[in-house]
Amino acid sequence: MFELLFVTAPIMNVQVLLEGVFIGSVFALSAYGLALIWGVMNVKNLAQGDFVIMGGYAAFSVSNAGVHPIFAIPVVIAFMFCFGWITYKLIIKRVIDNDMFVSLLATFGLSLFLQQVMNLIFGPEVQTLDSHFGILLLGDFVTVPKIKIISLLIAAFFATVVVLFMKKSRMGQAIRATAQDARAARVLGINTDRVYAFTFALNASICGVAGVLVSMIWSIQPFYGIIFSLRTFAIVTAAGLGNLPGVIGMSFVLGWFEQYAGVLAGAEWQIAASVFVLIFVLLWRQLQARRHRQVVR
Amino acid sequence: MFRKYLVAVGAALAMGVVGVSGGAMAKVEGDTIILGSALSFTGKYAANGFHTQKGYDFAANRINEMGGVKVGGKSYKIAVKYYDDESQGSRAAQLAERLINQDGVEFMLGPYSTGMTKAIAPVTEKYKIPMVEAEGASRALFTQGYKYMFAVLSTSEFYLAPILDLVAERARAEGKSPSDIRIGMAFEGDGFSLDVKAGVVDVAKKHNMKIVIDDMLPADLSDMSATLTKFKALKPDVLLVSGHDKGAATAARQMEEMQIQAPYVGITHCEASKMPEKFPKGATGVLCPTQWLPGIPNKDNYFGNASKFNQDVLEAYPEYKDIPYQLTQAAAAVLVFKDAFERANSFDKDAVRDALAATDMDTFYGSIKFAPEGNNIAKPMFYRQIDANGKYQPVVSSDNIKIRNVAY
């Protein structure tokens, strides 16, 4: 396969790299959402992937009413925001001050619950949404569905909006203040409970947008959430909390790594690749830390 | 006096309990033979569970209307007792125990899917209960040495492998050698797909065909662009994919997006994935295996031929546009039981089991004859090719296959 990729048909690399970029852009959205709630609330949301799939099903429901999936995005954002807010009030609020394992267990339970509810409502069949945008041909070999380019732009747009929101708006500043020191923020009059609810709801909305894109470029099924949860955890852990450029960069690295693993080692290694990236980064960090400690000694 | 009264009441109650449970323990109640089945009415297999139930009920009603089952000079009706296995193997096994031990059922119809059948078969085997199953296709079911399980359907290794026979035949007819044929394939790592793959590998070896891509698709499959990129670069002659409905949907979608041209493409679960409606260009020319076709010439005395069966079921269940083959094979399973009861001329479990083992009959579903392992060796898989209008066209012979050439 190495020979095929680098000697016989090097043009394959263009296709593989492009696919990696498109995958990475969707990963980046849900990973950014996770980084946000992890950093601000210290909640590790194991239902992150299920939020993505839920966004996909919300778009599926809206498009069944004859609306193009892209125009379903505002509806999905509003729906997921309300869902996120209610979930915070009902579940997350009660576990936020507890041990890390309580939040892991609670969100794991939420993940199972959401899977079963989606299975009951939509059935276990795979669903796909068609954007009808056609395909772009780059030479004889490389093909790019236009929806993937549009998805990349949509992902970039929403990432920018969220970054600007965090920097410029009052709520964004409150979120950042709460992330730095929740107690001090409370002393200064910030309603941290409201900030947490807003942050969790914002994360659900971001996942919802990712879900709409997933339903248009791949497919959705009630039990697919776990692979997105796995990838977002790998990205956020590898990139480090509070490191937005790191999260985006790591998303693309993971996208490329998955695609190359699929081509060189077979499709069965594609998802395993994200776990390998995580292990590699953690080992690397461990080595760096050990070296640092030795210097201190 | 009071003590005597208590004893009398106790005895009467005990007799009542014995009488009631004695009635329930009978495998034949009055003039009705009770068959038992745990089917999936909720959970991920629910849709196919209902198709299966409709098949069982349709056949039981038809047999009852036409005089029922004749055993020992008497006519018996067929009734099926159902439980919902919730699409979970452990629940299916519990319900099989319940059907046998509490409901007294002595003849079972199979559940839906290989997984549920795998869970139930050890139970029916333990109690020596004959089971005719119609929905578990994995060949692993027939390597366990089960003596009381019989399956009417073709096993999974025949889903895609015969396509290679057809391709080899076509190559020979065109003056080419089958050994020049190159295959790209991607199979999911589940029991069913690995069986399908084993059949393909055997036939590829038989014809000396070269397998140039051999990918295993993950269970949570939604992207196979890496496999298709390799396919585009290597340009094999045949693409074979098996990954249930999600694999079929993903393959059709990404073949369309990546404009894959392959002379022959075989994919399982075309119907379930609705690929001709959703991805018409990707689906064009795809060869789809099916357990049954309404156009086959086989027939029997109860349902007439395949086309008559098709018409009658569409009238009975107007919600269907096309009949799922899961319903068809379920109906065939009931017919097999009826035939075995009559040949055994008894309701003795072992006599019925022996009669089932000796089954050799023609039905609207195809011929049925069981190997010693219990699988049906008389019925082939059938194929349909999706045309440019999204219609399924039956494949009668290798000349009948259209080389896939899609104008993207």
Side-chain angles (χ1 to χ4, degrees), chain A residues 1 4 9 12 15-16 19 23 119 124-130 135 137 140-145 147-148 215-219 223-224 226-228 259 262-264 266-268 270-271, chain B residues 42-47 212-227 229-230 232-235 245-247 249-250 253-254 256-259 272-274 278-279 408:
Chain A
M1 267 322 147
L4 176 74
M12 276 174 79
Q15 182 84 52
V16 172
E19 291 291 339
I23 292 178
N119 190 31
E125 295 82 19
V126 169
Q127 302 293 355
T128 51
L129 291 178
D130 198 348
I135 290 148
L137 269 175
D140 293 341
F141 193 92
V142 180
T143 53
V144 182
I147 184 60
K148 288 191 176 172
S215 68
M216 286 191 289
I217 44 183
W218 299 301
S219 50
F223 303 103
Y224 274 4
I226 182 73
I227 48 170
F228 289 97
Q259 283 297 309
V263 171
L264 294 172
E268 63 268 36
Q270 221 166 310
I271 294 175
Chain B
T42 51
K44 60 181 174 177
Y45 297 134
V212 292
I213 301 168
D214 178 9
D215 272 9
M216 189 186 282
L217 301 172
D220 306 312
L221 168 75
S222 59
D223 177 23
M224 55 183 289
S225 57
T227 304
T229 304
K230 282 189 276 190
K232 226 172 160 178
L234 289 166
K235 297 189 178 71
D245 56 337
K246 54 187 186 286
T250 306
R253 171 173 225 160
Q254 296 195 322
E256 190 169 306
E257 286 178 355
M258 299 178 75
Q259 308 204 334
S273 70
K274 298 187 180 122
K278 289 183 175 172
F279 312 107
Y408 285 110

Side-chain angles (χ1 to χ4, degrees), chain B residues 339-377:
Chain B
D339 180 66
F341 284 135
E342 291 188 342
R343 279 187 291 107
N345 201 24
S346 149
F347 292 116
D348 175 71
K349 286 187 295 186
D350 287 310
V352 173
R353 186 254 157 226
D354 292 343
L356 281 170
T359 298
D360 187 355
M361 63 194 286
D362 200 28
T363 71
F364 71 95
Y365 174 66
S367 302
I368 298 175
K369 184 176 181 173
F370 298 119
E373 294 79 22
N375 53 317
N376 183 6
I377 47 171

Side-chain angles (χ1 to χ4, degrees), chain B residues 83-127:
Chain B
Y83 285 117
D84 173 16
D85 65 24
E86 299 160 20
S87 306
Q88 289 180 14
S90 55
R91 185 82 185 121
Q94 277 173 4
L95 291 171
E97 291 264 4
R98 178 176 174 160
L99 279 164
I100 297 164
N101 288 328
Q102 291 184 30
D103 300 325
V105 162
E106 295 200 338
F107 307 104
M108 295 271 285
L109 288 165
Y112 176 76
S113 84
T114 291
M116 300 301 125
T117 313
K118 261 184 192 164
I120 280 183
V123 180
T124 50
E125 210 61 24
K126 181 172 88 179
Y127 294 105

